[in-house]
Amino acid sequence: MATLTDDILADIISRLPYKSTCCCKCVSKRWRDLIYHRHHRKKMPQSVVGFFYEGYNECRSPRKARYFTNLSREYYPLVDPSLSFLPNCGSLDILDACNGLLLCRCWKAADPLKLDYVVCNPTTEKWVSVPATEWPSKVGVARLGFDPAVTSHFHVFEFIDEEAWGVPEDEQDDDFYRRIHTLAIYSSKAGVWKYQTVKQGPFAIPKHSVSSFLNGVLNLAADYNLIVAVDVEGDNWWLVPIPERPDYVDDTNGIFTSQGRVYFADSDRSKLSIWILEDYATGKWTLKHNVSHL
Amino acid sequence: MAATPADASSSSSEAVVGGEKSNKMITLISSDGESFEATEEAAKMSVTIKHMIEDGCADDGIPLPNVPAKILSMVIEYCNKHAADADDTNKHVADPADADEDDDNNNNNASAGEKEDLKSFDASLVAVDQATLFDIILAANFLSIKGLLDLACQKVADDIKDKSVEEVREIFKIENDFTKEEEEAVRKENAWAFNE
């Protein structure tokens, strides 16, 4: 039987879904080497799984540096963490990532005081800027909501606290430092920001709060053992206390989502507990796993 | 117009598709010495042949030492069918230099019925055994007929999409040349792809 050339074989394999490509790697040495070969790799479907992280060290230059690591076995493709494909960006912070898109805050090269949000796909290098509000420089908590399975449109959430909003100091909440005053939501479909005064709570969200976007709902870890959830319209809110446990520790950052559900992971010295949220409205959690550290 | 083996001396006044193109017939000679006639228009779907015609090498018939008669007749059938379709909007489908995002065998002006007809023709053309399919791919590659190459490659991809490693080896008649350790290593790395 005729033998197909490498180029033709690579063409055929590149038409397969990623899962099938992985099976093809096991067919023979020639196939494995073909799929991994630089020349053909670009045609092959790739899923990038990795993360960006930033380090800060007073004693080196640059003090602040950002890296990208690809978690797949091949360590490829690598994404340039400077995101230099974004034009006019003097310097930028990556604020959030959601299902393949990044939410960044960019200081304009031309005008260091001007700030913009940019949403981009670091692997395709496509980007859009989100019209600036007054808040990007003051707001600690901005998050991205994007679910490609539902729509190609995204939402940006800004949680504006009392201080950023300009509430006089003596009127600010004493118990909740930087209590969230207003929620602004930007819809890429509508192209506008919608503001609403937050009636729920009170609650405050730490700057680097863990968050997760699932089924059109943004879930965030808030102060005082609370999980705050809000949908993309801003119509539905849920404030869910984390599951009770004997050692009272203020740490909500164990929230994560998986397979369509919201989970909370809680660890003390002797064991790791995984809870699953049954229902936002009732705030009921069920203990799913209990793993002893010993 | 069916592609039938013909003597070099047979008459060349076949029906013409698209009044503006020349009536000229081109003779193509398979690797086993059979001659086939095709309109210049259809023949030019092959970029390789197009260049030979333009360079003036086609007058005595074009020998194709890589393409056996059985495959050549199928290729000519494809070209006839698609030349009639592609020509109206002056899009030369086969030439990579002209290729753009919506090329291939789709003429925007074709009616829905014609498109369906073309689709089912294409499907039946590649509904052949693996050996023949591979021969078609190699011929389309050699002759630079992008639409046919895409069609045939896609068929192979569709055939192996949900197959196991062993089944793929069987289809391609490939011997497993991994050592036991190598195979274990590559399967382990890609283990997730084998889970349901």
Side-chain angles (χ1 to χ4, degrees), chain B residues 15-186:
Chain B
V16 164
V17 179
E20 287 140 0
K21 290 291 170 178
S22 82
N23 288 2
K24 194 170 170 203
M25 296 302 288
I26 306 287
T27 306
L28 302 170
I29 308 161
S30 72
S31 60
D32 31 3
E34 276 187 56
S35 290
F36 294 81
E37 298 264 294
T39 62
E40 183 173 316
E41 207 190 314
K44 277 185 170 182
M45 289 213 65
S46 153
V47 177
T48 309
I49 294 177
K50 176 171 182 266
H51 289 159
M52 290 176 89
I53 293 174
E54 285 164 358
D55 291 345
C57 309
D59 298 332
D60 299 324
I62 302 179
L64 301 169
N66 298 20
V67 190
K70 171 185 169 195
I71 305 298
L72 186 53
S73 79
M74 293 173 85
V75 169
I76 292 175
E77 234 191 295
Y78 175 89
C79 291
N80 284 336
K81 195 85 178 179
H82 284 259
D85 187 70
D87 199 49
D88 293 339
T89 52
N90 215 29
K91 262 191 195 175
H92 206 293
V93 169
D95 193 328
D98 296 341
D100 65 15
E101 296 237 352
D102 17 59
D103 72 10
D104 273 333
N105 48 350
N106 283 323
N107 176 358
N108 292 335
N109 294 335
S111 72
E114 280 168 22
K115 274 195 173 156
E116 272 308 306
D117 188 42
L118 211 57
K119 265 177 89 170
S120 70
F121 167 82
D122 284 352
S124 60
L125 188 73
V126 290
V128 292
D129 62 274
Q130 286 297 331
T132 307
L133 193 53
F134 284 19
D135 285 338
I136 293 176
I137 289 178
L138 290 171
N141 187 49
F142 168 68
L143 293 170
S144 248
I145 307 174
K146 185 177 188 303
L148 182 56
L149 187 57
D150 280 346
L151 174 65
C153 286
Q154 188 60 49
K155 175 71 168 59
V156 177
D158 291 341
D159 284 346
I160 66 175
K161 196 169 80 146
D162 295 314
K163 299 283 192 297
S164 70
V165 176
E166 289 76 17
E167 287 169 321
V168 173
R169 287 186 187 136
E170 182 51 48
I171 291 172
F172 282 83
K173 305 276 186 283
I174 295 175
E175 230 184 84
N176 177 9
D177 59 350
F178 285 122
T179 64
K180 198 156 175 280
E181 294 76 25
E182 282 171 338
E183 178 155 14
E184 243 181 74
V186 72

Side-chain angles (χ1 to χ4, degrees), chain A residues 256-273:
Chain A
F256 64 98
T257 56
S258 169
Q259 295 187 329
R261 304 292 295 278
V262 176
Y263 288 80
F264 182 73
D266 177 17
S267 170
D268 66 25
R269 237 164 273 158
S270 63
K271 66 182 189 315
L272 171 70
S273 306

Side-chain angles (χ1 to χ4, degrees), chain A residues 25-274:
Chain A
K25 287 178 197 165
C26 307
V27 167
S28 76
K29 285 188 189 176
R30 180 193 173 208
W31 281 49
R32 178 197 61 187
D33 296 343
L34 192 72
I35 295 169
Y36 280 121
H37 194 282
R38 289 207 120 175
H39 181 61
H40 299 295
R41 229 165 14 183
K42 293 194 171 138
K43 292 185 233 158
M44 303 292 171
Q46 313 260 11
S47 63
V48 181
V49 180
F51 55 90
F52 293 91
Y53 56 101
E54 228 168 57
Y56 185 84
N57 189 331
E58 269 288 326
C59 310
R60 72 156 184 226
S61 177
R63 287 207 173 110
K64 198 161 130 175
R66 187 181 304 127
Y67 304 89
F68 174 79
T69 293
N70 187 322
L71 293 172
S72 61
R73 284 277 172 168
E74 301 93 80
Y75 309 114
Y76 180 90
L78 290 175
V79 174
D80 173 10
S82 69
L83 305 181
S84 53
F85 59 88
L86 294 176
N88 304 322
C89 252
S91 78
L92 65 90
D93 287 336
I94 299 179
L95 300 178
D96 196 15
C98 188
N99 283 321
L101 292 189
L102 296 181
L103 172 67
C104 304
R105 183 169 53 196
C106 290
W107 278 265
K108 293 244 180 286
D111 179 354
L113 297 175
K114 269 207 92 190
L115 205 53
D116 259 340
Y117 287 126
V118 168
V119 173
C120 67
N121 182 329
T123 46
T124 63
E125 298 189 352
K126 293 204 170 113
W127 59 273
V128 288
S129 61
V130 172
T133 63
E134 290 173 50
W135 315 108
S137 55
K138 304 177 202 167
V139 163
V141 185
R143 295 289 185 269
L144 181 64
F146 174 63
D147 189 345
V150 173
T151 169
S152 57
H153 291 284
F154 62 83
H155 290 84
V156 180
F157 300 78
E158 265 188 335
F159 290 83
I160 307 165
D161 59 70
E162 288 183 327
E163 198 176 303
W165 186 257
V167 170
E169 218 175 305
D170 50 357
E171 288 173 36
Q172 289 179 22
D173 196 305
D174 288 326
D175 296 321
F176 284 83
Y177 174 59
R178 303 197 91 161
R179 171 189 171 165
I180 299 297
H181 185 276
T182 299
L183 171 65
I185 303 181
Y186 174 82
S187 153
S188 69
K189 189 172 181 185
V192 289
W193 287 93
K194 252 174 38 180
Y195 292 85
Q196 62 169 267
T197 307
V198 174
K199 297 186 182 59
Q200 292 77 6
F203 62 87
I205 298 178
K207 187 167 175 181
H208 295 294
S209 147
V210 164
S211 61
S212 221
F213 184 75
L214 183 71
N215 298 331
V217 175
L218 180 69
N219 304 275
L220 298 116
D223 285 338
Y224 299 118
N225 297 324
L226 212 57
I227 290 172
V228 172
V230 59
D231 70 12
V232 292
E233 299 302 323
D235 292 333
N236 294 303
W237 288 81
W238 299 272
L239 267 55
V240 182
I242 61 174
E244 296 278 9
R245 62 203 194 291
D247 295 327
Y248 191 84
V249 172
D250 186 11
D251 177 13
T252 335
N253 278 328
I255 174 181
F256 64 98
T257 56
S258 169
Q259 295 187 329
R261 304 292 295 278
V262 176
Y263 288 80
F264 182 73
D266 177 17
S267 170
D268 66 25
R269 237 164 273 158
S270 63
K271 66 182 189 315
L272 171 70
S273 306
I274 309 281

